[in-house]
Each structure stands twice: as C-alpha cells, then as structure tokens.
Amino acid sequence: MQKFKMILGVWMWVVVLLWGCQNKVKKSNLEMIPVDMDRAREVGVSDVFSEIELVPLETSENNLMGSVYPMVYRNRYFMRHNQPEGVSCFDSSGHFLYRIDQQGRGENEYRGINGMAGNPYLPVFYLNESLDYLHLFELSGHFREKIRLDAVREIIHGIVPLNRDTLIVISGRYNYTYTFYSLSERCVITQNRDHLPLAGSPSHFFRVEDQVFYAPAFESVVYEVRDTAFVPAFCFDFGKYNNDLSALADFDRVIVDDREMEDFLNRNFNSFINKMWGSRDYLCLMMSCKVKGDWENRFLFLDRNTREYIVATDFIESFPFSPFGDFVDDRFIFPFTPMELKEGNLSDLFDEQSKAAYQKIKLDDNPVILKARLKI
C-alpha cells in the first residue's frame, strides 16, 4: 500500500506571517474549534468521500502532458505542466481546448511558469514567472499583456486575487514578502515583509466565495484578509500540538539552508500546517505533528456545522492525497496519472459512467481528473 510521503524540505515554504499576533489576539473572542489530533487513524476512502467521478483528459499528439498542477476555474481544468513548459486547458468534460506554450524571452513569452491563478471577479487568469513578470490571459487563452512587477525582486511563488483590482504576490525564499498590487494603477499598495525565517506559499491562502483566508503554519488562528489587513477570523485548539510562539517574538536570525531550517522546526514547534482548504461547510488541513520526537502526517476533515471531524494518518486504499489538489464545491480535484489510478484500487467507488471511462484508460494517456465529494 502506498503511504503518504511528504518531504520536509518541500514544505520549507510554510508560513509565519504575523507572529506577534499569536499573543495579541484574544482567542476568547474568536470561534474556537477543538481538535484531538491523537484520534488519528487509517481510514477508507469511503469514510471521507461520498462519491468519486473520473474525468479523463483528452489525449492526442498535440496535447501530451507529464506531471501536472491543476486549477479549476470557470468550469474549466487548467493543467500547468513542465514537460513541455506550459498550460493546457480542458472543458468540464475533459475535451482539449487549447495550450499555452509561449516559452522564450519575447514580449508575449515567458521564461518559465512558477504558478497560476484565476480571477473570480473577471474572466482572466494569470501565469507568474519565477522572477519579475506576471502574464495576463483571457479565458479563451488569448494573451493580453505582460506585467513587470518592479517592486518584487525575489522569487515569485504564487498569486492570490483578493478582489477585482488587488493581487497578493507571494515572493522570497525563507523570509517572504506579501505584496498587495493594484492592477488598475499598476503599482504596489503595500508590502509586508516577514522577518522570521519560515515563510509563505499560496497553499496557506484559501477562498470561501468572496472571502480570502490565510492560515499561518504555526499559529492556531486563521485570518481573513480584508483590504490589506489580516483580521482574526477563527481559531483551532490542537491541545498538546499547539505551538508557544512567545519565545520567538524577537527572533531575527537569518536561516540560510534547509538543514538549519529543519533544526529550527525541531527545536521550536509541535506541529505545522502544510495546506488548508475551506468552504462554507468544511475545513480541511494537511498537518505535520511531532509525535515522540518524529514528524507524522495528519489529515483533518471537519464539518463546520456539526463540528464532527475525521483525523487520518493514511488511506487504506492507495489514494495519493495531494497538497496540489484543488477544492471546489466541496469536491477535491486531483490529477492522477493512469498508473496511479490503476494502482489506487478505487474502481469499486466509481459510478457507472466513471467505471466505463476507467476501462478505456491506457497507461500512456494524459492524466485523469478525479473528483471526490467530501462527506463527514
């Protein structure tokens, strides 16, 4: 059985924005969500998901893809891939629509793609390079413009559309900067430089309809982003896995490599959040908890209405739950390679249409979208 593996170095992006707020926030005034992480157990896929649907992505000589990072935007699947470097777009049924493959150094070309984001307020989406540039595309795939982010002089890891005009640009390495950028004025509204060595990735921002939330890696408080302010929204109580940040309020050492970062984690923290998804009805977290000196994975699925929850260490089936999945309409959206899908032993959970599609999938086909509806 395939176990979940999370390489600690991959998650050195984890976030510590607003450390000082841990002690300033009056948690008694916030919605408190208690969670016993020691209830963790191995679960079946059917314990967490009520239905699973497959959407095979059309395969042809013109749109072959390797590993992909998905985005669901306006009923379309956008697949960012490295081989070749570009983005492929499919409709809701998996039919191929177009591919963006404008790699180069020209006016409408990119040197590489390090992230993508759709604007929920306008029918446009963005591709960000690792340095300097943001590319704006119409929903049709038509290139509109290349925006130079002069004030962002670090590696750009992702973009979060906050409203019709404002983007949050996440950049840096160990000490990250959160840049609020105005599209209409083409200028920086404000920047928030994190003085601590653990920093941000887009995985710590999540959207619930028109609200954008931010879940710091080591705090139990989750913030709503309003304008350029981070306003406490609700709070988790992880018991013995809560972190005491008081000793780190004046921390100013610069971390220079992953080994030093790992040592910093081990000496100061009991847990950290790797990624968080949310909706009106559910909250889902991928966490790492220190258990008897070792870091172990925990997967939390919580019903916000009933407060019932499941804490999983793994799935009985070979189900590679991924931090790169999207979460839309209470459904997780995962891209599986045909090999992963065949190894997953999930066919008994498919509806009849998906079972028929599953039988036709070949190992050299494009990735398959798996849509899993959450239940608690």
Side-chain angles (χ1 to χ4, degrees), residues 11 13 15 200-206 215 273-277 323:
W11 292 109
W13 289 5
V15 189
S201 87
S203 61
H204 288 265
F205 291 88
F206 65 95
I273 296 172
N274 294 308
K275 180 152 184 174
M276 186 169 180
W277 300 266

Side-chain angles (χ1 to χ4, degrees), residues 13 21 45 60 81 99 107 109 233 240 281 296 300 341 349:
W13 289 5
C21 292
V45 171
S60 71
H81 41 77
R99 168 172 283 181
E107 178 58 31
E109 296 176 328
K240 67 182 181 182
D281 295 321
E296 295 185 1
L300 171 65
L341 192 64
L349 303 174

Side-chain angles (χ1 to χ4, degrees), residues 75 279 282 327-332 372-374:
N75 296 316
S279 69
Y282 295 105
F327 188 61
V328 180
D329 297 330
D330 294 337
R331 289 176 172 85
F332 277 99
R373 185 177 183 84
L374 194 62

Side-chain angles (χ1 to χ4, degrees), residues 19-257:
W19 283 71
C21 292
Q22 177 74 10
N23 295 318
K24 296 176 183 178
V25 174
K26 293 183 178 181
K27 296 182 181 178
S28 59
N29 297 332
L30 297 179
E31 174 191 4
M32 179 69 72
I33 303 175
V35 177
D36 181 3
M37 300 304 291
D38 285 331
R39 282 175 46 178
R41 58 186 176 88
E42 192 176 60
V43 302
V45 171
S46 60
D47 294 328
V48 179
F49 302 111
S50 61
E51 59 186 54
I52 294 181
E53 176 186 352
L54 294 185
V55 182
L57 300 180
E58 181 181 341
T59 303
S60 71
E61 293 182 0
N62 297 323
N63 71 343
L64 293 175
M65 300 179 292
S67 299
V68 296
Y69 303 92
M71 176 180 72
V72 182
Y73 176 59
R74 295 184 179 250
N75 296 316
R76 297 184 180 188
Y77 299 112
F78 291 83
M79 300 291 145
R80 178 167 64 91
H81 41 77
N82 297 326
Q83 297 178 346
E85 185 96 1
V87 172
S88 294
C89 179
F90 301 81
D91 68 15
S92 59
S93 299
H95 298 126
F96 177 69
L97 298 178
Y98 59 82
R99 168 172 283 181
I100 297 171
D101 56 358
Q102 300 163 329
Q103 191 168 16
R105 293 183 177 273
E107 178 58 31
N108 64 340
E109 296 176 328
Y110 50 78
R111 288 166 293 182
I113 302 173
N114 207 38
M116 61 181 174
N119 192 320
Y121 307 98
L122 302 167
V124 298
F125 63 95
Y126 314 97
L127 305 182
N128 65 270
E129 298 190 30
S130 296
L131 294 170
D132 299 335
Y133 290 105
L134 179 67
H135 298 252
L136 175 61
F137 289 85
E138 297 175 359
L139 189 60
S140 64
H142 175 71
F143 172 79
R144 183 181 293 181
E145 62 178 308
K146 187 174 184 177
I147 302 171
R148 183 176 178 87
L149 301 173
D150 290 314
V152 182
R153 308 307 303 166
E154 305 163 311
I155 295 174
I156 302 172
H157 292 288
I159 304 292
V160 179
L162 181 60
N163 51 47
R164 293 178 66 89
D165 183 63
T166 306
L167 302 177
I168 305 173
V169 183
I170 301 99
S171 63
R173 188 180 180 191
Y174 293 118
N175 295 82
Y176 278 58
T177 299
Y178 302 86
T179 300
F180 290 79
Y181 184 85
S182 170
L183 290 169
S184 61
E185 300 296 330
R186 292 293 190 268
C187 69
V188 171
I189 301 170
T190 187
Q191 288 183 312
N192 191 322
R193 177 70 176 179
D194 187 357
H195 74 284
L196 290 167
L198 299 178
S201 87
S203 61
H204 288 265
F205 291 88
F206 65 95
R207 180 179 299 277
V208 178
E209 298 175 358
D210 286 338
Q211 294 174 287
V212 174
F213 292 91
Y214 172 75
F218 302 108
E219 293 190 37
S220 55
V221 177
V222 176
Y223 298 84
E224 182 184 356
V225 186
R226 300 179 188 171
D227 295 325
T228 59
F230 290 76
V231 180
F234 58 90
C235 183
F236 288 99
D237 181 2
F238 297 122
K240 67 182 181 182
Y241 297 107
N242 289 334
N243 294 310
D244 181 6
L245 305 181
S246 58
L248 297 170
D250 299 322
F251 187 88
D252 61 1
R253 191 175 84 245
V254 176
I255 299 293
V256 297
D257 58 38

Side-chain angles (χ1 to χ4, degrees), residues 284-353:
C284 308
L285 285 77
M286 296 182 70
M287 292 186 64
S288 293
C289 297
K290 190 185 295 183
V291 181
K292 298 180 180 179
D294 295 322
W295 291 104
E296 295 185 1
N297 299 327
R298 296 289 186 268
F299 306 87
L300 171 65
F301 306 95
L302 182 141
D303 186 315
R304 300 185 70 173
N305 301 308
T306 66
R307 296 295 182 89
E308 295 182 6
Y309 61 87
I310 293 174
V311 181
T313 57
D314 201 349
F315 284 98
I316 296 170
E317 303 86 354
S318 296
F319 185 77
F321 193 92
S322 167
F324 302 109
D326 209 341
F327 188 61
V328 180
D329 297 330
D330 294 337
R331 289 176 172 85
F332 277 99
I333 312 294
F334 297 114
F336 276 43
T337 66
M339 180 63 74
E340 289 173 331
L341 192 64
K342 298 291 185 180
E343 292 176 346
N345 193 29
L346 303 173
S347 57
D348 289 344
L349 303 174
F350 300 157
D351 58 27
E352 292 304 316
Q353 184 175 350

